Amino acid sequence: MREVAVIGIGQTKVDEHWDLSLRELAGFAVLDAVKDAGLDQVDALYLGNMMSGSANHQQQLGAYIADWVGLRYAEAVKLESACSSGASAFRSALLAVASGAVDTAVAVGVEKMTDSPGAEITAELSTAADADWEVSQGISFVALNALIMKRYLYEYGWDKNDFANFSINAHANGVHNPNARFRKKISREQYEKAGMVSEPINLMDASPIGDGAAAAVLVPVEKLGSLPGYPIIKIIGSAAATDSIAVHGRKDPLWLTAAEISSKKAYQQAGVTPQDIDFFELHDAFSIMAALSLEASGFAERGQGPRLALENEIIPTGKIPIATRGGLKARGHPVGATGMYQLVEVVEQLRHTAHGTQIEGAKIGMAQNIGGSGSNIITHILKRIN
Amino acid sequence: MREVAVIGIGQTKVDEHWDLSLRELAGFAVLDAVKDAGLDQVDALYLGNMMSGSANHQQQLGAYIADWVGLRYAEAVKLESACSSGASAFRSALLAVASGAVDTAVAVGVEKMTDSPGAEITAELSTAADADWEVSQGISFVALNALIMKRYLYEYGWDKNDFANFSINAHANGVHNPNARFRKKISREQYEKAGMVSEPINLMDASPIGDGAAAAVLVPVEKLGSLPGYPIIKIIGSAAATDSIAVHGRKDPLWLTAAEISSKKAYQQAGVTPQDIDFFELHDAFSIMAALSLEASGFAERGQGPRLALENEIIPTGKIPIATRGGLKARGHPVGATGMYQLVEVVEQLRHTAHGTQIEGAKIGMAQNIGGSGSNIITHILKRIN
C-alpha cells in the first residue's frame, strides 16, 4: 500500500449560491485544488454528494463534473453515505491512489441545497434516517438528534446551556474563515435566548444547510521526490465504520460506536493516541454530536464531552481545539460537501495558513465525518512531515 | 497491488418484487454471496445503486444493508454512476482489497423500481442524462437512445430489423436463467411487429426495468492458498472511463469513447486481446448499445456491430457470445444492480455452471457496464486460473 499525501486544496464559500450552477459549484473547487497542486489535470475524480438526484434532478455527478473541469474521459464516480459522503469520497480517492491503480486523484464534496424549498430539504435530509422504522413514524432528522440530546441531559445531569461554548467557539472561529457561511460571533445570551427548533435543540445548537463544495488532490508520497519546497501533508490514518441507521437499534444511543471503531483504527494506523492530536475537525451538525464525538474518539470520558467546552479546552489555544474554521455550525453544513471541508481545513491548519485561528505548531490533525445520526463515521488523521 | 479473486456470488431474480423490501432484496443477494464464499462475514460492503434516495426515500444504503446482513460496524458505502453503479461498486471493492486496506469485501448492486409509478421512474432515469442541456429540452432517456440509433441507421445504411438477433439471442439465453425476468423465446416476427417505444426503438429493442440485486465476494488471491478445491476466478483487468453526459457534446455520438478507453486499459492489464475473450456480457439496455459496445471494444469494425448479430456470431456457440444469461433485455435491467448481474454471470460461466447456455471451456470473460448513454463505462476481465 503506497503512502499518500494531499498536495492541493480548493473550496467554494458556503452560502446561498443562487447564481452558481451545480457544475460551477463543484467545478470551481476542483479547479482550485488542481491548480493549488501545481498540476494541469488528474487521473480520476471521486465525488461525494447526498441529494443531487432529487434536489437537483441530476445523477451521474462524477462524469458530470469531470467533463466540466476538463477531465473528460478520466475515471469518475459518486460516493454517498448521507452527511459523510465527503469523507467517503476522500477515502475512496485514498484507496485508489494507495492501491497503485490511480496516480493522481481529486476528491470533491458538493451539495446544492438552497434552490429547493425548505420542506423538501427536510424530507431529503430524512432519507439519512431509517425510512421503515424512523421516518415512517413522522420524525425529522433534527427531532432524532433532539431525542438523543434530551436523553443525554437526563442521563448525565447536564443543563442544556452547558453546551453553549460549542456554538460560541464555532462562531468565534468562523469569523476568520472567508469561506464560512456565518462570520459573526455569538454571545452566551444569544445562545440562551435562541429560538427552539426541536427541544432541547435550539437554533444555535443546529448547523445551517448551504450550497458549497470543497476538494483535495491526492498523490503517492513516493512521487513527490525528497522534501519539495512546500509542506507535505501525509494521510497517516483512515478508517470507516457503520452502525444501525435507526437510533433505537443501537446498543447505546448515547455512544457513537462507529466513531470509536473508526478513530481507534485510525490511531493505530497512525501510531498515535488522542494526546498526539493537535486539533480535531469534528462533525458538530448539532452540539450534542460534538460532545458525543469527543467522547467516542477518546478526548473525554463518557458523559463528559460538555466539560471540555465549559472549561474552554476546545478553543484554538485549548487542549483539543475543534471547529477551528467555524465547524458545521458557522462554516455551514452543505451535507455531502462537509467531510471535504473538514479535510481541507485540516490541511490549512497543517500548512499553517489558518489565518486568525491557527493552532500554533500544528503537526497532526484529525477530521471526523458523521453520516446519519451516527450510522456511518469516517475518521482521517493527517500529518505534516516537513 | 494485490491480485484479487471472486470467491462467492449471489443474486435475486429480477422481477416485480412487491413482497420484498429494499433491505431483503439486497440482503438476500449479499447473504447468498457470503455463504457461497464459505465465509461467515466480510470486512466491508460496497453498494451500487442509482435511485433509492428518490424512488425508495432511503439514502445511506451502505450502512442500511450492512446492518441487516449482520455486518453492523463494518465499513460500508454506496457508489453511484447511473446505470453503471453496479460495476462502480465492484471496482471500488476491488481497489479496497487490492490496496491492502480491506481483506474481504462484498460488492452488491441493488435497485427497487417497480413500486414507483412508471412516469416517476421515467423521470428518475432521465437524471442519468444532462439536466441542463438534455432533460430541460423534454427528452427522455429512451428518446436519447432513439436519436443515436436513428443516426446510426442513416450513417451506416442498416435496416432497423437488422438488429433483431440481439433481442432474439438475449431472450433465447434468458430461458435458461432462473434469475431472468423474461424466460421466453421471441421470434423474428415478434421483434418486427413489436410496438414502437421511441422510433426506431421498439419494445424488443428496449430492456425492461425491474427489482433486483446481485453480489460478489472479493478476496486477495494470496489468501486463497495454492489450488483450493474450487475454481479460482481472478480479476485480471478493471478500468473505468467517462465521456460528456450530453450526447451532443461528444466528438462522435456513434462511438463509445469511454468503452474504447476502458476496454483497452483492461486488455492491457490482462495482457489479452479481444480474440482471447471467450464471451462478453455487454450492456444491451437498447439493442443499439450492444452494437456500439461491440465496436468500441474491438469486436467489430466501426458501423459493423449488427453484422455479428446477423451472422449469428453472438449466440453461445458463436465467435463472441453476448448476453449469455439473457442480458439486460431478458434478464432485466434494475439499473444500479445490472453491473453486478453481469459480473455474477461472468463468474457462473467461468465456473462452468451456466446451465443451458454454457460457453464450452470458458476461461476468460468480460463484462462492460454503461452509465447514462455512454458517459461512464466500466470494463472488467475475469479469468479462471485452475
Side-chain angles (χ1 to χ4, degrees), chain A residues 1 23 50 58-60 64 72-76 78 80-81 91 99 127 129-132 242 249 375-376, chain B residues 1 23 50 58-60 64 72-76 78 80-81 91 99 127 129-132 242 249 375-376:
Chain A
M1 209 164 139
R23 274 188 169 92
M50 177 178 172
Q58 182 68 62
Q59 294 276 17
Q60 183 77 312
Y64 183 78
R72 185 182 291 191
Y73 309 135
E75 174 168 9
K78 166 179 155 176
E80 188 273 324
S81 60
R91 180 160 160 80
S99 78
T127 62
D130 193 304
D132 300 335
T242 57
S375 53
N376 204 329
Chain B
M1 209 165 140
R23 274 190 168 91
M50 177 179 173
Q58 182 68 62
Q59 294 276 19
Q60 183 77 313
Y64 183 78
R72 185 182 291 192
Y73 307 135
E75 173 167 11
K78 165 179 155 175
E80 190 272 323
S81 60
R91 180 161 160 80
S99 77
T127 62
D130 193 303
D132 300 336
T242 57
S375 53
N376 205 329

Side-chain angles (χ1 to χ4, degrees), chain A residues 99-121:
Chain A
S99 78
V102 166
D103 260 349
T104 52
V106 65
V108 57
V110 62
E111 206 77 64
K112 186 153 177 59
M113 308 172 80
T114 70
D115 296 353
S116 308
E120 196 179 304
I121 290 296

Side-chain angles (χ1 to χ4, degrees), chain A residues 148-167:
Chain A
I148 295 173
M149 187 170 183
K150 202 159 195 171
R151 185 76 195 180
Y152 186 92
L153 299 180
Y154 171 82
E155 288 289 343
Y156 300 115
W158 295 103
D159 183 83
K160 184 244 168 313
N161 289 330
D162 293 332
F163 285 73
N165 279 350
F166 285 118
S167 307

Side-chain angles (χ1 to χ4, degrees), chain A residues 26-203:
Chain A
F28 289 154
V30 170
L31 291 171
D32 282 353
V34 173
K35 190 178 167 194
D36 185 48
L39 300 174
D40 292 326
Q41 56 167 46
V42 294
D43 298 335
L45 181 145
Y46 299 86
L47 185 144
N49 170 269
M50 177 178 172
M51 55 178 70
S52 78
S54 36
N56 314 108
H57 306 291
Q58 182 68 62
Q59 294 276 17
Q60 183 77 312
L61 281 202
Y64 183 78
I65 300 303
D67 189 28
W68 198 78
V69 298
L71 296 176
R72 185 182 291 191
Y73 309 135
E75 174 168 9
V77 69
K78 166 179 155 176
L79 285 289
E80 188 273 324
S81 60
C83 306
S84 61
S85 300
S88 286
F90 187 83
R91 180 160 160 80
S92 205
L94 167 64
L95 295 189
V97 175
S99 78
V102 166
D103 260 349
T104 52
V106 65
V108 57
V110 62
E111 206 77 64
K112 186 153 177 59
M113 308 172 80
T114 70
D115 296 353
S116 308
E120 196 179 304
I121 290 296
T122 299
E124 311 261 9
L125 287 171
S126 74
T127 62
D130 193 304
D132 300 335
W133 299 335
E134 292 180 324
V135 185
S136 62
Q137 311 301 319
I139 201 160
S140 70
F141 201 68
V142 57
L144 268 176
N145 281 273
L147 286 176
I148 295 173
M149 187 170 183
K150 202 159 195 171
R151 185 76 195 180
Y152 186 92
L153 299 180
Y154 171 82
E155 288 289 343
Y156 300 115
W158 295 103
D159 183 83
K160 184 244 168 313
N161 289 330
D162 293 332
F163 285 73
N165 279 350
F166 285 118
S167 307
I168 292 168
N169 170 63
H171 275 273
N173 294 340
V175 169
H176 303 281
N177 179 2
N179 294 300
R181 176 146 192 201
F182 294 131
R183 301 187 65 189
K184 49 183 180 189
K185 289 192 180 202
I186 63 161
S187 65
R188 172 165 297 271
E189 195 188 352
Q190 279 174 300
Y191 175 87
E192 292 180 2
K193 290 191 172 164
M196 199 53 75
V197 180
S198 180
E199 207 259 312
I201 291 180
N202 73 23
L203 204 58

Side-chain angles (χ1 to χ4, degrees), chain A residues 194-255:
Chain A
M196 199 53 75
V197 180
S198 180
E199 207 259 312
I201 291 180
N202 73 23
L203 204 58
M204 289 300 143
D205 290 303
S207 59
I209 65 159
D211 307 329
V217 172
L218 288 75
V219 297
V221 172
E222 67 192 36
K223 303 240 163 165
L224 288 174
S226 58
L227 295 180
Y230 49 84
I232 296 179
I233 314 296
K234 208 165 83 174
I235 304 158
I236 60 171
S238 170
T242 57
D243 201 341
S244 154
I245 292 201
V247 175
H248 65 252
R250 298 192 194 141
K251 263 189 203 162
D252 178 353
L254 302 183
W255 189 253

